[in-house]
Amino acid sequence: SFSVVVEDNTNPVITCPANVAVAASSGSCGATVSYSAPTATDNCGSTSIALIGGIGNGGIFPLGTTTEVYRATDSAGRTQACSFTVTVTDQSVPSITCPASITTTTGLMQCGASVSFTTPTTSDNCGATVAQISGIASGGFFPTGVTTQVFEATDGAGNSQQCTFTVTVNDGEDPVASCPGDIVEPNDLGACGAFVNYVSPTVADNCPGFTIVLDSGIGSGNFFPVGVTTEVFEATDPAGNTHQCSFTVTVQDTESPQASCPASAVIANDAGVCSADVSYVSPTVTDNCPGATVSLHTGFGIGGTFPEGISTEVWRAVDSAGNTNDCSFTVEVDDTENPMPSCPGGQSANTDAGQCSAAVIYAAPTVGDNCPGSSISLLSGFGSGGVFPLGNSMEVYRGIDGTGNTNDCNFSVVVTDAE
């Protein structure tokens, strides 16, 4: 006898499901994955299937690709394996939270400020990192204005999310305008003012870009009127902060007015008085500035009564700045009126006893005049109390006033021989 041994040399046939791709579960860095179980067939009846690599159906699969390997074994111990992949992808975007926007002011004499802020926070199902992609690092120097800070959270799968906030640095520092000192100038000759030049004001500020303009006044190199002019300058920086400075330009009127008097005059006295009422052309005044006046300083004035002799009229011009100037002229009143002597009437007398003559006394002649100081004296004759010869003698008296004007009167003395 002999035996015939029939050996099973045919491997079983195993079939795995197709590759599986799923997204990670919400809030988890993996996924619970169920898939169709592998199947197997064999030429000699039943087979068994076992997981020999991977996690298994219904297990929690980590992020990435996991290979599931199954093996089929038949009753003869022959085996056959199959495999497929389970890919878990992270499709969750990380969250990122930025700090609130920051507003601050510049540091003293700085065109910006050092600003620190809290680092943005992130959360993700699989973890994420935070990076600043634009802006200035915390603790850095931020210029005036608005700086946008952009941060990005990125997870291992490349999912990313950004957040932003702003750092606003306001320029809270006013510029400082510095004006020149007050200016005092005399007027230009013949002008009621002066052309004045001055050094331009300067500005200091923490930030560049400021401007300075004349806010009120006239400006350097221009004509300033007599008096006080206030020049006001205003500096403005790019943030709109302003500062003013001012100074005064005083133009003093140092030029005296010019008074012009009429020519000196010689006037005859008014009849019967030792004076004359005199009118003359009013003096005039010219000046570099309006408002000058001229008035009588000493004298009798227009239409005044001037005494006999020489009177000086002084007129004074005064301008609005108090500068003065005088002019003068003389008015001479000449006494052209003769004195008026008055002699007694004719005299008659008899010879004195035993004499061929007579001593005759008569009332003294008098004199009148428009001016005091006149006198009368015997010009020819014997005079009162004199011895007059027989016959007709003429007594002549002359009146003379203080200015030498003369006038005569006379009368006769008749001596008769009655013896």
Side-chain angles (χ1 to χ4, degrees):
S1 64
F2 62 95
S3 61
V4 177
V5 178
V6 179
E7 294 180 346
D8 184 0
N9 292 321
T10 301
N11 292 333
V13 176
I14 186 170
T15 304
C16 280
N19 293 333
V20 177
V22 296
S25 302
S26 177
S28 173
C29 193
T32 300
V33 180
S34 293
Y35 49 80
S36 298
T39 58
T41 58
D42 191 54
N43 57 327
C44 292
S46 64
T47 60
S48 61
I49 298 174
L51 179 68
I52 61 171
I55 295 173
N57 193 12
I60 298 175
F61 284 75
L63 197 67
T65 299
T66 301
T67 300
E68 297 284 273
V69 181
Y70 279 86
R71 176 183 291 166
T73 303
D74 61 13
S75 56
R78 302 192 70 82
T79 63
Q80 183 68 38
C82 72
S83 66
F84 62 96
T85 59
V86 176
T87 302
V88 179
T89 57
D90 182 5
Q91 298 180 7
S92 295
V93 176
S95 65
I96 184 170
T97 303
C98 279
S101 292
I102 299 170
T103 299
T104 187
T105 56
T106 54
L108 183 63
M109 289 306 295
Q110 293 183 325
C111 195
S114 296
V115 179
S116 296
F117 52 84
T118 303
T119 301
T121 59
T122 184
S123 62
D124 190 55
N125 57 328
C126 295
T129 58
V130 175
Q132 184 172 6
I133 61 172
S134 68
I136 299 170
S138 178
F141 186 81
F142 285 73
T144 55
V146 179
T147 301
T148 300
Q149 303 284 90
V150 181
F151 283 81
E152 186 174 71
T154 305
D155 62 17
N159 299 307
S160 63
Q161 177 78 357
Q162 291 182 349
C163 70
T164 64
F165 65 99
T166 59
V167 176
T168 302
V169 179
N170 292 324
D171 182 1
E173 191 169 340
D174 291 340
V176 178
S178 297
C179 283
D182 293 340
I183 298 171
V184 178
E185 294 281 349
N187 67 288
D188 293 344
L189 184 63
C192 193
F195 286 93
V196 179
N197 292 288
Y198 54 79
V199 177
S200 297
T202 59
V203 181
D205 194 36
N206 58 322
C207 289
F210 52 78
T211 59
I212 185 166
V213 296
L214 181 67
D215 192 53
S216 66
I218 297 174
S220 179
N222 290 306
F223 186 81
F224 285 74
V226 166
V228 179
T229 301
T230 300
E231 300 283 276
V232 180
F233 282 83
E234 184 171 80
T236 304
D237 66 16
N241 299 309
T242 62
H243 182 248
Q244 290 184 340
C245 69
S246 65
F247 63 100
T248 58
V249 176
T250 302
V251 178
Q252 296 178 336
D253 181 6
T254 59
E255 191 169 332
S256 296
Q258 297 297 311
S260 179
C261 282
S264 295
V266 178
I267 307 293
N269 67 287
D270 293 342
V273 294
C274 193
S275 62
D277 292 335
V278 180
S279 292
Y280 53 83
V281 177
S282 178
T284 58
V285 61
T286 58
D287 193 38
N288 58 317
C289 289
T293 60
V294 63
S295 60
L296 182 68
H297 184 58
T298 60
F300 298 98
I302 299 173
T305 300
F306 286 73
E308 184 271 333
I310 298 175
S311 299
T312 300
E313 295 284 277
V314 179
W315 286 74
R316 175 162 290 173
V318 181
D319 65 17
S320 55
N323 300 308
T324 63
N325 192 24
D326 294 344
C327 70
S328 65
F329 62 100
T330 60
V331 175
E332 181 179 344
V333 177
D334 286 346
D335 182 6
T336 61
E337 192 170 331
N338 293 331
M340 298 299 292
S342 177
C343 286
Q347 306 290 313
S348 61
N350 293 325
T351 56
D352 293 338
Q355 302 292 323
C356 193
S357 61
V360 180
I361 297 175
Y362 51 80
T366 59
V367 65
D369 193 39
N370 61 317
C371 290
S374 60
S375 62
I376 190 168
S377 62
L378 182 67
L379 182 65
S380 64
F382 299 99
S384 179
V387 178
F388 286 76
L390 183 69
N392 187 5
S393 298
M394 183 65 69
E395 294 286 275
V396 179
Y397 278 84
R398 173 164 287 175
I400 184 168
D401 63 17
T403 58
N405 297 311
T406 63
N407 200 9
D408 296 343
C409 68
N410 60 73
F411 62 96
S412 61
V413 176
V414 178
V415 176
T416 302
D417 182 6
E419 188 175 341

